[in-house]
Amino acid sequence: NAGVTQTPKFRVLKTGQSMTLLCAQDMNHEYMYWYRQDPGMGLRLIHYSVGEGTTAKGEVPDGYNVSRLKKQNFLLGLESAAPSQTSVYFCASSYVVGGANVLTFGAGSRLTVL
Amino acid sequence: AQSVSQHNHHVILSEAASLELGCNYSYGGTVNLFWYVQYPGQHLQLLLKYFSGDPLVKGIKGFEAEFIKSKFSFNLRKPSVQWSDTAEYFCAVNPYTGGFKTIFGAGTRLFVKA
């Protein structure tokens, strides 16, 4: 199994450009998440989804949009990139065990906005 | 605001030294607790988890953590660290009322000197 796959792994954007990060999981997980990781701030939840066709805001949703048209895919979009969105983005999916999540992470996507 | 606090951002130890990384959370209800680890160049992976029962949980590679409900703490320990334990460690909380969101602490970078 591939687990959680993120594409692209690296991307450089200019301010104002748009892009989409793709996350795909092959574990039939219901829940999927997008986090950003910044030095000294840990992982902060951007958006998440509890099932196909549903999305919800996390801790830092501004400037991002998401879609979950298929159960296995969770897309993160930046409509107008800003330097503050320079970060490493991690996608995760999860299954529920005993009422709690166990997250499986992708390898990350490093985004630089100039 | 609900949060997860990790006491140390950077820790440097010599091989064979004992390790304890602190983690406190601010959620008042029932929670599930996790430690995730990110080795250099790799993505995050689960180190150990607490759902219920024995508050002392054991994870991979000789790590253990103790849940102390009265102190809202979930500290990570290892009696004798190895050079290969060099990594960033994240404490995470999944509140039962959190809608399957997992909130992470800022992380602790551990460097083990050979």
Side-chain angles (χ1 to χ4, degrees), chain B residues 60-107:
Chain B
I60 59 172
K61 304 186 179 184
F63 285 91
E64 64 179 31
E66 185 176 13
F67 171 48
I68 302 180
K69 188 174 182 180
S70 60
K71 295 185 178 180
F72 298 90
S73 70
F74 190 56
N75 292 353
L76 180 70
R77 299 195 292 251
K78 186 171 184 179
S80 176
V81 295
Q82 300 173 320
W83 176 82
S84 58
D85 293 324
T86 294
E88 190 161 17
Y89 294 82
F90 294 93
C91 181
V93 175
N94 173 213
Y96 267 37
T97 58
F100 302 109
K101 291 186 289 185
T102 300
I103 306 301
F104 285 79

Side-chain angles (χ1 to χ4, degrees), chain A:
Chain A
N1 284 344
V4 178
T5 304
Q6 294 181 228
T7 52
K9 289 185 169 49
F10 301 94
R11 185 74 187 269
V12 178
L13 290 177
K14 294 181 179 179
T15 297
Q17 288 184 316
S18 63
M19 76 159 295
T20 300
L21 297 176
L22 171 63
C23 177
Q25 54 98 0
D26 61 2
M27 297 171 286
N28 201 35
H29 287 171
E30 286 292 336
Y31 312 108
M32 297 188 73
Y33 311 81
W34 276 107
Y35 287 88
R36 58 178 289 174
Q37 184 183 24
D38 302 291
M41 303 189 77
L43 281 85
R44 292 179 292 169
L45 183 63
I46 304 172
H47 286 281
Y48 65 104
S49 169
V50 299
E52 181 178 318
T54 71
T55 62
K57 294 180 180 180
E59 302 169 273
V60 288
D62 294 342
Y64 304 95
N65 57 75
V66 288
S67 64
R68 183 103 180 265
L69 298 180
K70 293 183 178 181
K71 184 177 183 179
Q72 62 269 33
N73 296 337
F74 195 32
L75 279 63
L76 177 70
L78 285 72
E79 289 186 349
S80 179
S84 60
Q85 294 178 304
T86 293
S87 186
V88 180
Y89 292 85
F90 286 97
C91 178
S93 67
S94 73
Y95 63 95
V96 178
V97 176
N101 284 326
V102 178
L103 297 172
T104 300
F105 284 89
S109 298
R110 185 176 293 275
L111 174 65
T112 301
V113 182
L114 303 175

